[in-house]
Amino acid sequence: MKNKLLFLLLIISTTTIAQTDNKLTAQLQNAVKGFNGQIGIYVKNLKTGKTAAINADTLFPTASMIKVSIQCGVMDKIEKGELAYNQKLIYRDSLLYPGEDILGSFKDKDTIEVSKVAMLMITMSDNTASTWLQKIVTGEYINNWLDQHGFKVMRVNSRVKGREAIRAKYGWGVTTPFEMCRLFTMIRNGEAVSPAASERMYRNLGRIYWDDKALSQIPPYVHTISKQGAVDESKSETVLVNAPHGDYVFSIITNNDKDQRWVPDNEADILIRKVSALIWHYYEPKSDWKPADGVAKFMLNE
């Protein structure tokens, strides 16, 4: 019995080791050396199952990446018949989230469909749209959905009773690089809410305006889904790439960044581009694509 147990443990250990891409892990570790802040990365080749990770189970702020979870809550309500995707909502001035949001420019009592509010939340990362949908669905509902689907730490913090302390530390939401990739993979596989809801979410996540960081290092003719997050001290991006040689997903999140400038050469933004390019060329070694000369002036998404 003892020998059988040892043999079983050896098989499990060997399988775990086999699933770790040591070469990619080493390249990522080298790429992040010297970064002035905390960093977490998780990468998974969805064709081979091999992974690479740096602090992949460490808690990080989600910033706007939490909006993917809000989208899941909205779709779950629609699937249950409690909302309709084309349902008209009435905008009120009290919903305004200070900033430069498109929805925030609406006039009091203007109407807009749930579908367009969801599109603005994901595509433009519109904060007024996001907080409005969270108010309709509720953070408690979204967190319950996450819990029921096996997410151990990803949660909405803001406007959720009992999460004030963790909100003070992590902001709007909290997650890990691993759990961000897991959620994206569920959506890709048709396992988030329902196959139909996943398909709609996949389309929404595939038309992102904020494409000047990780996405800028992937050929524009290769389909991707993504979501970005950014606050002064934290930058993040999760991307699933439908690459020629097989899909892959990765999430990179920083925290406690020393460089908190909102400029194109912010240290964390540079690192996100660097890591994205590294992963693309690792999985597509024969690709000779690179960003076009002079494209930087067309990537100033503000």
Side-chain angles (χ1 to χ4, degrees):
M1 181 68 181
K2 184 177 179 180
N3 289 336
K4 287 183 178 180
L5 180 60
L6 288 172
F7 180 68
L8 179 61
L9 289 172
L10 179 61
I11 292 174
I12 293 172
S13 176
T14 303
T15 302
T16 302
I17 293 171
Q19 290 299 305
T20 300
D21 190 328
N22 294 317
K23 182 179 177 182
L24 178 57
T25 300
Q27 290 186 20
L28 290 171
Q29 289 172 338
N30 185 61
V32 304
K33 281 181 181 177
F35 177 72
N36 294 295
Q38 182 185 20
I39 190 160
I41 299 174
Y42 183 77
V43 187
K44 184 172 184 179
N45 184 316
L46 299 179
K47 183 178 181 180
T48 67
K50 289 189 175 183
T51 65
I54 299 173
N55 298 324
D57 295 316
T58 299
L59 298 183
F60 285 91
T62 62
S64 288
M65 292 197 303
I66 198 63
K67 294 167 187 176
V68 183
S69 301
I70 297 173
Q71 180 181 223
C72 289
V74 171
M75 292 300 182
D76 195 58
K77 285 275 190 179
I78 292 170
E79 196 67 75
K80 292 176 178 175
E82 297 174 23
L83 280 175
Y85 197 57
N86 63 346
Q87 180 177 329
K88 288 203 171 183
L89 303 174
I90 300 173
Y91 177 78
R92 303 310 302 258
D93 286 342
S94 59
L95 294 166
L96 175 64
Y97 189 104
E100 298 180 359
D101 292 337
I102 292 175
L103 192 56
S105 66
F106 273 42
K107 295 179 181 178
D108 191 55
K109 298 183 181 179
D110 279 350
T111 60
I112 185 171
E113 294 84 357
V114 168
S115 59
K116 292 178 181 176
V117 179
M119 180 275 292
L120 288 170
M121 173 177 71
I122 297 299
T123 300
M124 298 299 301
S125 205
D126 191 298
N127 287 324
T128 299
S130 307
T131 53
W132 191 5
L133 289 176
Q134 182 181 322
K135 183 178 182 181
I136 291 170
V137 177
T138 77
E140 289 82 359
Y141 187 94
I142 296 162
N143 287 345
N144 185 55
W145 185 90
L146 289 166
D147 181 61
Q148 289 178 346
H149 289 81
F151 291 90
K152 299 184 183 304
V153 299
M154 188 190 298
R155 296 292 186 271
V156 178
N157 298 327
S158 297
R159 303 167 186 83
V160 178
K161 188 176 181 180
R163 296 192 65 83
E164 293 82 5
I166 197 164
R167 178 189 179 185
K169 185 173 182 179
Y170 293 104
W172 195 341
V174 63
T175 191
T176 66
F178 168 77
E179 288 205 340
M180 283 305 308
C181 288
R182 179 170 178 261
L183 181 57
F184 270 58
T185 304
M186 284 177 65
I187 294 171
R188 178 257 200 189
N189 292 341
E191 299 167 348
V193 180
S194 69
S198 292
E199 183 175 304
R200 178 67 266 176
M201 290 192 282
Y202 205 92
R203 292 186 185 278
N204 286 350
L205 289 161
R207 47 188 187 188
I208 298 297
Y209 174 76
W210 305 101
D211 58 0
D212 56 314
K213 299 178 183 65
L215 295 184
S216 72
Q217 304 304 305
I218 299 166
Y221 47 79
V222 172
H223 187 266
T224 60
I225 66 169
S226 65
K227 190 69 193 79
Q228 302 69 29
V231 291
D232 288 349
E233 68 281 0
S234 174
K235 303 292 185 290
S236 55
E237 192 157 357
T238 302
V239 184
L240 193 151
V241 184
N242 301 129
H245 289 87
D247 292 2
Y248 65 89
V249 63
F250 68 94
S251 183
I252 175 170
I253 313 178
T254 70
N255 197 19
N256 302 316
D257 299 356
K258 182 179 179 181
D259 185 355
Q260 299 189 5
R261 300 171 302 145
W262 289 83
V263 292
D265 64 345
N266 171 279
E267 184 185 22
D269 291 347
I270 290 174
L271 183 64
I272 289 173
R273 295 186 193 102
K274 180 180 179 181
V275 169
S276 178
L278 186 160
I279 299 169
W280 165 258
H281 288 290
Y282 184 81
Y283 289 134
E284 300 294 333
K286 293 184 179 180
S287 172
D288 59 1
W289 179 89
K290 62 180 181 179
D293 292 341
V295 74
K297 64 177 175 290
F298 297 108
M299 304 299 285
L300 300 174
N301 300 344
E302 298 176 352

